[in-house]
Amino acid sequence: MKYITEYRDREKANAIANRIVAVAKDQSMTIMEVCGTHTMALARFGIRQILPQNINLISGPGCPVCVTPNRYLDHAIALARQDNTIICTFGDMIKVPGSTSSLESERARGQDIRIVYSTLDALELARNNIDKEIIFLGVGFETTAPTIAASIDIASRQSISNYSVLCANKVVPPALLALLSGRTEIDGFILPGHVSTIIGSESYTPIFEKHPVACSIAGFEPSDMLEAIYELAVQISSGDPKLHNSYRRVVTANGNIKAKALLNRIFEASDAEWRGIGNIPESGLSIRDEFSSYDAAKKFNVTIEETVEPAGCRCGEILTGNIKPADCPLFGNNCTPSHPIGACMVSSEGTCAAHFKYGS
Amino acid sequence: MNETQLSNNESRITMAHGGGGIQSQELIQGIFASHFSNPILNAMGDAAIVEIPRTYLAYTTDSYVVKPIFFPGGDIGKLAVCGTVNDLAVSGARAIYMTAGFIIEEGFEFKQLESIVASMATVARACGIMIVAGDTKVVEKGNCDGIFINTSGIGQLFVKQAMTSSRIETGDVIIINGSIADHGMAIMSAREGLSMDTSIESDCAPLNSLAEHLSAAVPNIKFMRDATRGGLATVLCEAVGENNFGIEIDESKIPLKEGTAAACELLGIDPLYVANEGKLVAVVPADSAEVALATMQSHPQGKESEIIGCVTEDNVGKVNLITTIGSRRLITMLSGEQLPRIC
């Protein structure tokens, strides 16, 4: 068992696709994949092609970089311009355009901005550069948030005082609730596998009870996603929505209890701004007052430039599944991965980047 | 003065080693001349005087700035010689002479420099290429990252016709000499900051012998290219270019080592776009495919060779990949660099 090749088997994939055709018949079904990693995997494996035409897959707001508002980037850039500061970020953020600059441009101008692969690497930088301030850009959902919480936890235990986090972490369920409250044409949701691994399938129960809609938690291999789509097709065609878990080999009802406890200790829920969607109550994570010395937003007083949104960019509508990338006049013309205008073109999990790269 | 004395007396490069005076001489004699020694270099003129056979020549240049300088499976020196030799080899040329320019950061360790130079000498000897001229510059600390190497290389053509993508025709077969993405992922794994416990080794290797064997066995070979920066995908996209054909490759046929595949999955990187330093992509006529494959597989550098695809009449100007589940997707040129994903 290698947990990769078994799930990429051609015959198995086609067998599931045939079951989907048999269940969905001619019924038109609109299914949203909430998570950016699903968007990328669907494109990479060419899954749309083996699905019947009447199943319409649309992408949701589950790319953390894409939903991070310009204001956050401008704040990060202002922090980067301080003396004796090292900004640490995951690679995806480096090219995202802010109002008038980007971290990449700031780095080219001489600011110290480094790509790290783990918050632990940022802590190591803090230990090795005690005369500098190390600021980690905390972006991501429940999948990455525990690693950021852990870094604050370690910094506090080891009294590392030159480390802080500019926190824009977000949580998925409130965004899902916001989507469901505003939209009725989505027949089913492929729920994120990684996020659900942390929060557990039970976390969706209150939302599901309020807005019963076909739901299936899915893994990221072709068979995983096809199984989830089959499950959704069964639920939609029978008019019997369920909160289903197709990713049982990883996702449990209660999730990762240790990670959740850590999240809860370091962070508290707060309202958060989502690019293109606006403010969603309780959808963000803020660092608790007890740990405010690790909160870069509180630790440093910087002047943030006025936010300017890129003209003509329709990322917001793409993130909510209202339009497809090709419907945006900038897509592929003015906005490409080498010259991105909107965040959806930058992140490797962005809907526009997926459509551009894989030509779907 | 020999290199041992040099290393003992002063273990780091100083600005004086680039000054052109006694220390520069000591560096050249102690390290470069002693390792690269050959009659042409030993003349120590301002230019190497070389004999050019009456033939067509291939002439190439490249610069090496790899970080880290030492990585699993090689170092910047081995990379510099292999890269130069391979550019010539896939152009159908036997490497004969090369030059090497070193830009060294003040404070660089002699021991490391010597180790790099020694590995260059070893590979050069194995490939039958002579390093006939060189240059050394030392820059202030902070002005370069350890060491950069620039090379140029001259090779003598062993094919009758230059290999260009315009010779490729519908029905031709595409072969690769082994697993992809090993070099790029070895570098990423070894880079500071990525504390991943992997055993991925760079595939950095000279391809001259394989290329020459293949060209001898399949004289009507159409095209060869080493799949370096931008990976296999970029080579294929460049091959279709403006030409009047398409390319179709089968994902399940492309050799990919388990550890490399896992590292790519973990970082969200598409192995098709990851750099190789010992991979040759060959396009041969369909009726020569079996001979080509057997020739490659019987060579030490091509044991894991596979036929990965073919040239098609339809989808002109496009590269299509048949995915593992049997769907098709378009392979396009990489736009921007591949960045590790956030979650």
Side-chain angles (χ1 to χ4, degrees):
Chain A
M1 200 67 180
K2 298 197 173 78
Y3 293 103
I4 293 185
T5 44
E6 298 86 343
Y7 298 95
R8 294 181 183 178
D9 183 73
R10 192 173 297 199
E11 281 174 29
K12 196 172 171 189
N14 284 315
I16 308 170
N18 289 338
R19 273 158 53 208
I20 294 171
V21 173
V23 168
K25 298 194 178 73
D26 293 334
Q27 189 179 349
S28 169
M29 299 178 179
T30 298
I31 293 171
M32 174 180 274
E33 85 274 0
V34 175
C35 171
T37 313
H38 279 143
T39 304
M40 214 51 179
L42 287 167
R44 178 181 164 198
F45 295 108
I47 290 175
R48 277 187 181 81
Q49 278 175 46
I50 63 168
L51 289 174
Q53 296 265 316
N54 50 319
I55 294 197
N56 179 30
L57 291 176
I58 57 173
S59 304
C63 156
V65 170
C66 307
V67 295
T68 300
N70 266 10
R71 175 90 185 156
Y72 176 85
L73 274 151
D74 295 341
H75 195 166
I77 288 163
L79 289 170
R81 288 173 180 168
Q82 295 184 119
D83 291 336
N84 291 320
T85 301
I86 302 175
I87 298 284
C88 293
T89 176
F90 292 136
D92 279 29
M93 289 294 286
I94 201 101
K95 281 193 173 176
V96 183
S99 292
T100 57
S101 184
S102 69
L103 292 168
E104 188 181 42
S105 308
E106 293 301 312
R107 187 168 68 177
R109 285 189 196 122
Q111 313 307 342
D112 197 344
I113 297 163
R114 307 195 190 177
I115 293 175
V116 292
Y117 298 85
S118 156
T119 51
L120 298 181
D121 296 334
L123 276 182
E124 193 59 32
L125 268 175
R127 287 190 196 98
N128 296 336
N129 294 274
I130 44 171
D131 54 335
K132 296 202 168 169
E133 286 293 337
I134 313 301
I135 304 174
F136 184 83
L137 303 184
V139 170
F141 296 117
E142 292 94 327
T143 331
T144 38
T147 67
I148 295 163
S151 73
I152 294 175
D153 186 46
I154 295 168
S156 124
R157 285 169 198 272
Q158 298 180 1
S159 304
I160 303 173
S161 60
N162 61 329
Y163 175 76
S164 59
V165 174
L166 183 65
C167 188
N169 289 93
K170 292 181 168 55
V171 288
V172 167
L176 201 58
L177 185 64
L179 269 173
L180 277 166
S181 310
R183 298 280 299 272
T184 50
E185 70 272 32
I186 303 170
D187 302 304
F189 286 91
I190 300 174
L191 295 179
H194 295 143
V195 165
S196 305
T197 306
I198 303 292
I199 66 175
S201 56
E202 285 296 322
S203 302
Y204 302 103
T205 306
I207 302 166
F208 181 77
E209 282 171 355
K210 200 168 174 189
H211 297 280
V213 64
C215 284
S216 191
I217 298 168
F220 300 90
E221 296 299 326
S223 301
D224 287 326
M225 283 178 285
L226 287 164
E227 275 296 351
I229 293 167
Y230 167 72
E231 174 61 31
L232 292 172
V234 169
Q235 293 179 27
I236 296 164
S237 64
S238 64
D240 182 19
K242 289 192 175 75
L243 178 53
H244 182 263
N245 181 6
S246 300
Y247 199 25
R248 285 184 300 275
R249 72 178 184 279
V250 176
V251 176
T252 60
N254 296 317
N256 184 331
I257 292 161
K258 203 172 168 186
K260 286 202 288 190
L262 185 61
L263 281 178
N264 193 40
R265 200 154 70 74
I266 307 289
F267 296 121
E268 59 190 348
S270 61
D271 294 356
E273 186 75 17
W274 293 57
R275 186 195 294 259
I277 302 171
N279 185 61
I280 302 178
E282 305 272 286
S283 68
L285 294 175
S286 296
I287 298 168
R288 287 187 184 275
D289 281 343
E290 191 190 336
F291 297 100
S292 62
S293 60
Y294 299 99
D295 188 341
K298 292 184 178 150
K299 189 174 182 181
F300 306 102
N301 187 16
V302 287
T303 309
I304 308 166
E305 64 184 301
E306 199 181 321
T307 310
V308 183
E309 295 297 337
C313 173
R314 297 181 73 182
C315 274
E317 291 162 272
I318 288 164
L319 286 166
T320 44
N322 282 309
I323 64 166
K324 296 208 166 181
D327 300 326
C328 175
L330 302 180
F331 177 79
N333 298 315
N334 308 52
C335 186
T336 61
S338 37
H339 297 287
I341 292 173
C344 299
M345 188 58 94
V346 183
S347 170
S348 60
E349 311 210 319
T351 309
C352 296
H355 280 244
F356 187 91
K357 184 170 176 197
Y358 294 124
S360 49
Chain B
M1 178 179 278
N2 65 36
E3 65 269 27
T4 322
Q5 279 172 308
L6 245 174
S7 312
N8 285 346
N9 293 345
E10 332 162 46
S11 62
R12 286 175 193 277
I13 293 282
T14 65
M15 292 304 292
H17 288 112
I22 293 169
Q23 287 89 342
S24 294
Q25 277 308 311
E26 285 173 357
L27 173 66
I28 291 164
Q29 292 301 334
I31 290 202
F32 298 111
S34 75
H35 282 281
F36 296 154
S37 175
N38 63 65
I40 302 169
L41 180 70
N42 296 350
M44 286 291 158
D46 273 354
I49 308 298
V50 298
E51 190 184 346
I52 300 289
R54 273 194 206 180
T55 177
Y56 283 101
L57 293 177
Y59 185 20
T60 184
T61 182
D62 212 337
S63 299
Y64 301 86
V65 296
V66 67
K67 181 182 177 179
I69 294 161
F70 296 90
F71 48 83
D75 58 53
I76 191 171
K78 182 181 180 189
L79 191 65
V81 178
C82 290
T84 309
V85 167
N86 292 351
D87 278 348
L88 294 170
V90 296
S91 307
R94 186 179 307 126
I96 43 180
Y97 302 122
M98 69 177 281
T99 67
F102 297 83
I103 297 167
I104 311 171
E105 187 182 14
E106 179 187 12
F108 194 69
E109 281 181 28
F110 258 97
K111 229 181 358 189
Q112 295 202 339
L113 176 63
E114 182 154 22
S115 164
I116 290 163
V117 170
S119 77
M120 287 179 81
T122 305
V123 187
R125 221 164 281 131
C127 298
I129 190 169
M130 265 196 265
I131 300 171
V132 294
D135 178 50
T136 310
K137 293 283 183 293
V138 178
V139 295
E140 292 90 349
K141 195 155 184 65
N143 284 1
C144 101
D145 200 353
I147 184 169
F148 296 157
I149 303 176
N150 170 268
T151 67
S152 71
I154 289 181
Q156 184 183 349
L157 244 61
F158 54 73
V159 289
K160 288 197 177 66
Q161 242 183 318
M163 285 181 288
T164 63
S165 62
S166 58
R167 291 177 58 202
I168 299 174
E169 289 167 288
T170 300
D172 288 350
V173 165
I174 299 157
I175 311 177
I176 191 162
N177 66 320
S179 63
I180 61 164
D182 297 323
H183 177 72
M185 295 321 289
I187 294 290
M188 286 201 76
S189 310
R191 241 178 217 180
E192 187 193 10
L194 179 52
S195 34
M196 211 160 56
D197 190 17
T198 59
S199 55
I200 304 169
E201 276 206 7
S202 165
D203 61 343
C204 182
L207 295 167
N208 57 322
S209 161
L210 175 66
E212 209 167 333
H213 261 78
L214 180 59
S215 303
V218 185
N220 55 351
I221 183 166
K222 304 285 186 68
F223 180 74
M224 275 193 285
R225 189 59 70 82
D226 57 337
T228 54
R229 249 186 326 186
L232 174 63
T234 303
V235 165
L236 298 176
C237 288
E238 284 175 355
V240 289
E242 300 296 309
N243 291 313
N244 202 27
F245 57 78
I247 282 178
E248 189 174 281
I249 52 168
D250 187 340
E251 191 171 18
S252 57
K253 294 280 194 301
I254 301 168
L256 179 60
K257 290 199 177 92
E258 224 173 78
T260 307
C264 287
E265 290 291 330
L266 196 65
L267 295 171
I269 284 172
D270 189 339
L272 285 173
Y273 292 91
V274 177
N276 309 280
E277 286 295 344
K279 287 297 154 334
L280 177 156
V281 180
V283 182
V284 300
D287 55 13
S288 305
E290 265 180 52
V291 177
L293 186 65
T295 306
M296 288 171 76
Q297 285 175 341
S298 65
H299 190 278
Q301 293 299 336
K303 283 182 197 148
E304 293 166 26
S305 297
E306 286 282 352
I307 292 176
I308 56 165
C310 61
V311 178
T312 59
E313 193 176 355
D314 48 4
N315 294 312
V316 169
K318 293 201 164 78
V319 180
N320 266 284
L321 175 88
I322 310 293
T323 70
T324 47
I325 62 163
S327 294
R328 228 170 247 272
R329 76 168 151 93
L330 210 55
I331 301 291
T332 53
M333 291 285 265
L334 187 64
S335 184
E337 60 179 325
Q338 287 205 102
L339 297 168
R341 71 178 170 208
I342 198 166
C343 75

